[in-house]
Every structure is written in structure tokens, then in C-alpha cells.
Amino acid sequence: MTIPINNNASSFFFILMDFPGLETAHCWTAIPVCIIYVLSLLGNTTILHTVKSVPSLHTPMYFFLSMLSVADLGLAVSTLPSMAAVYLLGQRKVGAATCFVQLFFIHTCSVIESAVLLAMAFDRCVAIRAPLRYATILTTKRIGAIGLASVTRGAALHLPLPVLLGRLQFQPVNVLSHSYCVHPDVLRLASSSTVVNSGLGLFVMLSTLGVDAVLILLSYVMILKTVLNIASNAGRLKALNTCISHICAVLLFYTPLVSLSVIHRFGKMKLPAQIYMLLSYLHFLVPPVLNPIVYTVKTKEIRACILKTRSLRVEILVM
């Protein structure tokens, strides 16, 4: 991916941040960062392998779960290079083009995950409100179309962002607030007008994450309305129990994201740098780790398949 940048691009670069207060101990902070990435990769690849290898899991709910795992892997892989350079190698300098490419993939994967969470909300809504039509509404072809639309929307809307950033002027040395590049953080360091960039960034955020969040909320309003019409308490609990994993995934994704966006765009008071860093980590690093754990714990089909696979491997090793 080639980003057209301004003429002085070779004369400026960005400085990535360690966790504030722990700059001299980056070798030690690398340990939890590496553990987080290993758990993320293992958890999401396990989900993907389990869904692929078990025919009984070839249903819309688990196809969407696989998409969520792919989006989580995309977030992990997008942030890994710069974080590895900062925490493992102590290298904090990054070129402009590399920074712009990274922020494109980070934001694209984030929007893809938001779209998948919306699709999963639609899946739960159909399953509870129209269970008899579930298989005819969510066909394999439609699920594939939803996945393709999610990727296309994320990539198409974010492609102009690095291009427009490349036309701005920056100081020779620009210190970021995070250990990876994100659009609002890079934009605040520009020394030329950022009206167009800021407006486009806000539009993309509202038209994707904002719209998705509203539609997810409406989906759960419809689900709750249907659940309240169920006569038995056992039936209500059973219906709501199928949504718990998805609700946890939504909260893990949107809570730190909304907080971070509000602070970046509308925050007037100076907050400690640790707050920015912590919210950023909660958004980009925690969901890829916890989503597989939540779905494994709350979904007995996946848990049973994983345990069965492990038992077979142990038997093979013993033999």
C-alpha cells in the first residue's frame, strides 16, 4: 500500500510512547504485552480451528463468531509490530508512511469488528424473535455477503484517512501518546489545518461505530420486548442466556472506545497520560484476549469440542 505524502516526509518521524512512568523498564513491561499477544493468537486460532473442524458448529452463530476471531486477530497483528519494537527492542522511532499504514489497518479492523458485533446482534435477534425462519433468513450466502460488506465498508471508508494525513505538515519530531499509531493521536500533531481530516474522521466514526452501536441497542430492545412476552421464567432466562456472551463482547469493545474517542475529541482538561494509554490498551488489546475466553466459557458446544479435541490428542500421545 503506497501512501502519497508531502515533500518533507523523509524529514519527519513519530516517536511511540512506552507506558508512562515505565520507560526505563520496557524489558519488564514486554512480558505482559507478549503474554497478551500469545493468549490472543492462541485463543482466536483455537476458535477458528474448532469451528472449521466440527461440522455441527457450521451454523450462522459460529460463522459470525469466526468472523469476530478474524477481526480480533487483525487488531492484534496490526498493533503488534510497533509494540514489539517499543517493548522488546526499545525502538520508538517510526517513519511517517509506516505510521499511516498502521493506523489504516488498526481502524479498519476495529470497524470490521464493530460490524461483526452488529451482525451477531442481528443473529440473536432473529434466533429469538423468529426461530422458525432462522435458517431461511441467515443462509450461508447471506452470511458471506455480510462478511464481505463489513470488510469493504471498513477499508473503503478508512482509505482516505492516511492519504489526507500524508498531505499535512508535521514537525521534524512528533511524540505520540500511544505505542502504535491511531488517527486522532497523529492528527493532533499536525502543524497545518486539519479541518478536512478531522471532519472526515468524525464522519467515519459516527457512520460506522456510532450507527453500529445504535443498531445493536435497537436489536436488544427488540430482543428484550420478545423475551418479556415469554410466559415462563425458565424460557426467559434461556433466551437471555444465549445473548450473554455477545453482550460481554459488545461492552468490552465499545466502553473503552467511546471513552477514548470522547477524551481525544472533546476533552478540554489535561488528563494523565496513563489514562489515554490504559483506555487504548483496553480497546485494542483486551477484547482479542477475552472474547475467546468468554465464548468458550459461556458456549457449551465450543467448550465440549475443545475438551474433546484435547482428550483425543492426549490419547494419541499416550498410544
Side-chain angles (χ1 to χ4, degrees):
M1 179 180 179
T2 302
I3 305 296
I5 53 181
N6 49 26
N7 294 330
N8 71 332
S10 59
S11 62
F12 74 88
F13 54 87
F14 296 94
I15 300 295
L16 302 171
M17 284 293 294
D18 294 352
F19 197 88
L22 300 175
E23 292 85 355
T24 59
H26 62 82
C27 291
W28 291 105
T29 52
I31 295 175
V33 170
C34 290
I35 291 175
I36 288 173
Y37 275 109
V38 170
L39 291 176
S40 175
L41 294 175
L42 287 177
N44 287 290
T45 52
T46 299
I47 293 290
L48 290 172
H49 174 72
T50 303
V51 173
K52 179 182 178 181
S53 58
V54 180
S56 61
L57 298 183
H58 293 177
T59 61
M61 175 182 174
Y62 297 108
F63 286 147
F64 287 130
L65 178 57
S66 297
M67 293 181 190
L68 182 65
S69 293
V70 171
D72 282 335
L73 286 173
L75 273 178
V77 172
S78 297
T79 56
L80 177 59
S82 61
M83 292 197 71
V86 171
Y87 289 105
L88 289 178
L89 305 176
Q91 300 294 324
R92 300 196 295 160
K93 180 179 176 180
V94 61
T98 301
C99 184
F100 296 161
V101 170
Q102 183 186 40
L103 70 84
F104 166 79
F105 283 107
I106 287 177
H107 290 296
T108 297
C109 290
S110 183
V111 165
I112 291 173
E113 178 154 349
S114 175
V116 174
L117 289 173
L118 173 59
M120 296 175 82
F122 176 69
D123 168 79
R124 292 299 84 204
C125 188
V126 173
I128 293 174
R129 291 178 61 87
L132 299 179
R133 298 171 54 200
Y134 180 73
T136 57
I137 294 176
L138 287 172
T139 62
T140 303
K141 184 177 180 180
R142 285 176 179 168
I143 294 171
I146 290 173
L148 180 61
S150 300
V151 175
T152 302
R153 182 188 72 160
L157 288 177
H158 285 100
L159 189 59
L161 296 184
V163 175
L164 291 174
L165 280 175
R167 299 178 183 278
L168 298 178
Q169 299 294 323
F170 291 88
Q171 298 298 322
V173 180
N174 304 275
V175 181
L176 298 172
S177 302
H178 309 293
S179 51
Y180 36 72
C181 299
V182 288
H183 184 256
D185 196 22
V186 172
L187 193 61
R188 71 178 178 82
L189 298 175
S191 55
S192 54
S193 176
T194 61
V195 174
V196 175
N197 301 69
S198 182
L200 179 60
L202 183 60
F203 167 76
V204 171
M205 184 184 71
L206 293 178
S207 63
T208 54
L209 304 175
V211 171
D212 291 350
V214 172
L215 292 178
I216 290 173
L217 180 61
L218 290 177
S219 297
Y220 273 99
V221 169
M222 297 173 66
I223 288 173
L224 186 60
K225 182 178 179 181
T226 302
V227 169
L228 291 177
N229 290 329
I230 298 176
S232 66
N233 289 330
R236 294 176 183 175
L237 291 176
K238 183 178 180 180
L240 289 175
N241 190 54
T242 63
C243 302
I244 291 178
S245 298
H246 179 257
I247 292 173
C248 291
V250 170
L251 292 177
L252 284 172
F253 179 81
Y254 278 102
T255 303
L257 172 64
V258 171
S259 302
L260 190 62
S261 298
V262 169
I263 290 174
H264 269 304
R265 292 184 179 278
F266 307 109
K268 299 298 183 182
M269 59 181 180
K270 291 290 184 179
L271 295 176
Q274 291 87 342
I275 298 298
Y276 292 95
M277 185 73 80
L278 182 59
L279 287 173
S280 180
Y281 282 2
L282 287 175
H283 173 57
F284 291 117
L285 302 185
V286 173
V289 176
L290 293 186
N291 283 341
I293 296 175
V294 169
Y295 274 94
T296 300
V297 171
K298 292 300 298 179
T299 309
K300 62 180 181 180
E301 291 83 0
I302 290 182
R303 187 169 64 252
C305 290
I306 292 176
L307 293 175
K308 183 178 179 180
T309 302
R310 287 183 177 178
S311 299
L312 289 174
R313 288 178 178 175
V314 170
E315 291 178 4
I316 292 173
L317 291 174
V318 172
M319 293 175 62

